[in-house]
Amino acid sequence: MGRRSDRRRVLRLRDGVATARPDTLAVEEPLEIRVRSPGGAGAARFVTTMRTPGHDEELVAGLLFAEGILTARDELAALERPADPRIEAELRANVLVASLAPQALARAQGLQRSTVMGSACGVCGRTEIGRVLTEGTRPLDSALSVSGELLHALPARLRESQSVFARTGGLHGAGLFDASGRLLELREDIGRHNAVDKLVGAHWLAGKLPLSECLLLVSGRAGFEIVQKAFFAGIPVLASVSAPSSLAVELAEAAGITLVGFLRERRFNVYAHSRRISAP
Amino acid sequence: MGRRSDRRRVLRLRDGVATARPDTLAVEEPLEIRVRSPGGAGAARFVTTMRTPGHDEELVAGLLFAEGILTARDELAALERPADPRIEAELRANVLVASLAPQALARAQGLQRSTVMGSACGVCGRTEIGRVLTEGTRPLDSALSVSGELLHALPARLRESQSVFARTGGLHGAGLFDASGRLLELREDIGRHNAVDKLVGAHWLAGKLPLSECLLLVSGRAGFEIVQKAFFAGIPVLASVSAPSSLAVELAEAAGITLVGFLRERRFNVYAHSRRISAP
């Protein structure tokens, strides 16, 4: 696993007093994702994303799953670092090659080529929601029920386990909890979306989706794409310590997801499907 | 300008007491950016980004500038909503068509096509810094000097002017200040990067770059791309209320940018080029 934090000398000013001291930073490095057919020679770059090293395989699986490129587990034949000995180790650590089944590879290529269009196309919130809830997709109907007291306890549990955040203040966390409020898994990353992709990717790789009896807590805001990732993973309750966006609320409503925001200081708001929050 | 906030009925739980009440949400909607040659018929989709409506022209200009597609002002011939009457007004509000000079259009197309590669390529932090500081580019050498007291005053000034944030808690802010600490311009968006693109785009459109005598304050974390945007805009002092990443610090060092982090509660850290912070 790559370094997740880095030490630097910084100048600290506090009430006008300057001191030079070491500081710990969250590491940010690019990760290049390439796709190819199994045994194929040339790999094409799919995307380069800035991320905190660590759990890279999970990040790639989660990202390709969230983009709708990977569906069934057997569509991913392999996830490997480039074998070419001409590549320096430092560069190799920032590249992952995904070997995809033909239909998944075609989806990846289609996504990259879909740039030319008729002038009558357009996008809006409804369009985006329609891309997530395609025909035949059903909203989540998990009967999971959680109490307000259980929700109040989650942020502290996430923070206690966020070891790198504690030292850098620079990483987002995504925590998966069971119905009793136990933290099952935590991922951290400089990018909010990456932390969720790593978490979902880990379970997708292990064949453990959908997560119908779980809660997801994210340390930042809940935008449209975070709700989309929760939906694809089958997670019925999504909580954020901060604000959701308008479109996140609309998607949560349509997707059957209980969306909780501003979960802090013994309060929270429920923006969609409050039926899963049991009365005190 | 589109709606930037939206009212919704939510269930609020505070200390176990539930009340239904209206809540204000930050609006998130997709914006599709298309590119074409001036007078050209077919426009190709360049990218779709999730953003808070408002200042869309500035966002598109700032994004194309940050991506290195637009350099000189006359490379952007026009920025228009699609004229096709078949498109509903709601969709039209989420599309902008940029008419680009041939060399800029070629750069946009090149960026989209650069997916096939030899197996010996790779990326790392150095590669990314090299893409920003290309040969012949010089680090910023502005002689701007600011005091710690001036920096301490900025976050409150940004917050006072963040009208939508105050109601939603859901928008990032980017504020441009002059050397005396006066707020010149503020942009807000659900996306941290978008807020900076809008701010820089406004000045690029007005032919007012570089901003060599200005400070930029962002409400979130300072990652690599935020430093990159500040560098392209010629802004010598970048401050964030939160943590920078390792690569943001490395780029700031190489690019001659004074990088301030954790600017809050009468303290801050200086991560690069502290020479522009004058002694108390």
Side-chain angles (χ1 to χ4, degrees), chain A residues 257-269:
Chain A
I257 290 178
T258 299
L259 181 61
V260 172
F262 292 107
L263 178 56
R264 55 195 186 200
E265 292 151 21
R266 303 228 15 105
R267 59 168 275 229
F268 59 85
N269 292 339

Side-chain angles (χ1 to χ4, degrees), chain B residues 261-280:
Chain B
F262 292 106
L263 177 56
R264 56 193 184 199
E265 293 151 18
R266 303 233 9 109
R267 59 167 276 229
F268 59 85
N269 292 340
V270 189
Y271 292 88
H273 297 287
S274 58
R275 67 174 189 277
R276 293 199 186 92
I277 313 293
S278 55

Side-chain angles (χ1 to χ4, degrees), chain B residues 1 24 27 42 96 102 106 112 143 158 166 169 206 226 245 280:
Chain B
M1 189 189 298
T24 305
V27 169
L96 266 175
Q112 295 199 298
L158 188 71
I226 300 289
S245 73

Side-chain angles (χ1 to χ4, degrees), chain A residues 33-106:
Chain A
I33 303 174
R34 301 181 191 174
V35 294
R36 64 168 190 178
S37 39
R45 176 165 53 219
F46 177 68
V47 75
T48 302
T49 181
M50 303 300 282
R51 97 317 187 180
T52 301
H55 299 108
D56 287 347
E57 286 78 6
E58 299 176 353
L59 172 59
V60 173
L63 190 148
L64 293 176
F65 175 69
E67 294 291 327
I69 290 163
L70 286 175
T71 54
R73 177 65 186 81
D74 61 5
E75 289 176 347
L76 178 66
L79 263 177
E80 299 153 311
R81 303 287 169 185
D84 193 321
R86 289 170 299 172
I87 307 180
E88 288 175 55
E90 190 191 352
L91 298 183
R92 205 157 35 220
N94 285 332
V95 178
L96 266 175
V97 184
S99 299
L100 305 179
Q103 66 276 24
L105 191 61

Side-chain angles (χ1 to χ4, degrees), chain A residues 28 45 90 114-115 126 245, chain B residues 28 45 114-115 126 245:
Chain A
E28 179 181 25
R45 176 165 53 219
E90 190 191 352
S114 64
T115 58
R126 269 181 296 136
S245 73
Chain B
E28 179 181 25
R45 176 166 51 219
S114 63
T115 56
R126 270 181 295 133
S245 73

Side-chain angles (χ1 to χ4, degrees), chain A residues 56-260:
Chain A
D56 287 347
E57 286 78 6
E58 299 176 353
L59 172 59
V60 173
L63 190 148
L64 293 176
F65 175 69
E67 294 291 327
I69 290 163
L70 286 175
T71 54
R73 177 65 186 81
D74 61 5
E75 289 176 347
L76 178 66
L79 263 177
E80 299 153 311
R81 303 287 169 185
D84 193 321
R86 289 170 299 172
I87 307 180
E88 288 175 55
E90 190 191 352
L91 298 183
R92 205 157 35 220
N94 285 332
V95 178
L96 266 175
V97 184
S99 299
L100 305 179
Q103 66 276 24
L105 191 61
R107 282 179 216 125
Q109 290 162 346
L111 208 64
Q112 295 199 298
R113 286 206 198 105
S114 64
T115 58
V116 185
M117 58 177 56
S119 63
C121 299
V123 287
C124 70
R126 269 181 296 136
T127 327
E128 294 298 311
I129 289 172
R131 281 153 45 98
V132 176
L133 288 161
T134 50
E135 221 175 312
T137 314
R138 286 173 44 211
L140 302 186
D141 62 359
S142 162
L144 180 69
S145 175
V146 294
S147 70
E149 282 307 312
L150 185 142
L151 286 169
H152 286 316
L154 304 186
R157 287 182 197 157
L158 188 71
R159 269 195 311 273
E160 279 161 22
S161 304
Q162 272 198 265
S163 56
V164 181
F165 180 84
R167 281 180 288 131
T168 67
L171 287 189
H172 279 288
L176 191 73
F177 294 86
D178 70 13
S180 73
R182 194 165 57 95
L183 180 64
L184 301 174
E185 204 92 64
L186 162 77
R187 291 294 179 271
E188 292 180 291
D189 200 285
I190 194 113
R192 211 152 41 94
H193 294 183
N194 292 348
V196 176
D197 281 339
K198 285 177 176 178
L199 196 61
V200 173
H203 291 82
W204 185 86
L205 282 168
K208 287 185 181 164
L209 296 188
L211 299 164
S212 319
E213 301 301 317
C214 292
L215 295 81
L216 175 63
L217 173 65
V218 295
S219 66
R221 297 160 199 214
F224 177 82
E225 286 170 308
I226 300 289
V227 179
Q228 176 179 349
K229 290 173 197 299
F231 176 67
F232 283 165
I235 301 170
V237 179
L238 170 61
S240 146
V241 301
S242 185
S245 73
S246 62
L247 203 54
V249 173
E250 284 173 45
L251 177 58
E253 267 179 8
I257 290 178
T258 299
L259 181 61
V260 172

Side-chain angles (χ1 to χ4, degrees), chain A residues 6 8-18 21 23-32 34 41-46 48 50 82 84 86-88 90-92 94-95 112 114-128 148-149 152 165 168-172 189-190 192 219 221-225 242-250 253 262 265-271 274 277-278 280, chain B residues 6 8-18 21 23-32 34 41-46 48 50 82 84 86-88 90-92 94-95 112 114-128 148-149 152 165 168-172 189-190 192 219 221-225 242-250 253 262 265-271 274 277-278 280:
Chain A
D6 194 15
R8 285 250 161 196
R9 217 165 166 72
V10 303
L11 185 70
R12 182 168 79 173
L13 272 107
R14 185 176 286 221
D15 284 320
V17 181
R21 53 164 217 141
D23 190 60
T24 305
L25 293 171
V27 168
E28 179 181 25
E29 277 281 317
L31 175 68
E32 185 176 293
R34 301 181 191 174
R45 176 165 53 219
F46 177 68
T48 302
M50 303 300 282
D84 193 321
R86 289 170 299 172
I87 307 180
E88 288 175 55
E90 190 191 352
L91 298 183
R92 205 157 35 220
N94 285 332
V95 178
Q112 295 199 298
S114 64
T115 58
V116 185
M117 58 177 56
S119 63
C121 299
V123 287
C124 70
R126 269 181 296 136
T127 327
E128 294 298 311
E149 282 307 312
H152 286 316
F165 180 84
T168 67
L171 287 189
H172 279 288
D189 200 285
I190 194 113
R192 211 152 41 94
S219 66
R221 297 160 199 214
F224 177 82
E225 286 170 308
S242 185
S245 73
S246 62
L247 203 54
V249 173
E250 284 173 45
E253 267 179 8
F262 292 107
E265 292 151 21
R266 303 228 15 105
R267 59 168 275 229
F268 59 85
N269 292 339
V270 190
Y271 292 88
S274 57
I277 313 293
S278 57
Chain B
D6 194 16
R8 284 250 160 195
R9 215 164 168 73
V10 304
L11 185 72
R12 181 168 79 173
L13 273 107
R14 184 176 285 226
D15 284 322
V17 181
R21 54 163 215 141
D23 190 59
T24 305
L25 294 171
V27 169
E28 179 181 25
E29 277 282 316
L31 175 68
E32 184 176 291
R34 301 181 190 175
R45 176 166 51 219
F46 178 69
T48 302
M50 302 302 281
D84 194 322
R86 288 171 298 173
I87 307 181
E88 287 175 54
E90 190 193 352
L91 298 182
R92 206 158 32 221
N94 285 332
V95 178
Q112 295 199 298
S114 63
T115 56
V116 184
M117 58 177 56
S119 63
C121 299
V123 288
C124 69
R126 270 181 295 133
T127 326
E128 294 297 310
E149 282 306 313
H152 286 316
F165 179 84
T168 66
L171 287 189
H172 278 289
D189 201 285
I190 195 114
R192 214 152 39 94
S219 65
R221 297 161 199 211
F224 177 82
E225 287 172 308
S242 185
S245 73
S246 62
L247 203 54
V249 173
E250 284 172 45
E253 266 179 9
F262 292 106
E265 293 151 18
R266 303 233 9 109
R267 59 167 276 229
F268 59 85
N269 292 340
V270 189
Y271 292 88
S274 58
I277 313 293
S278 55

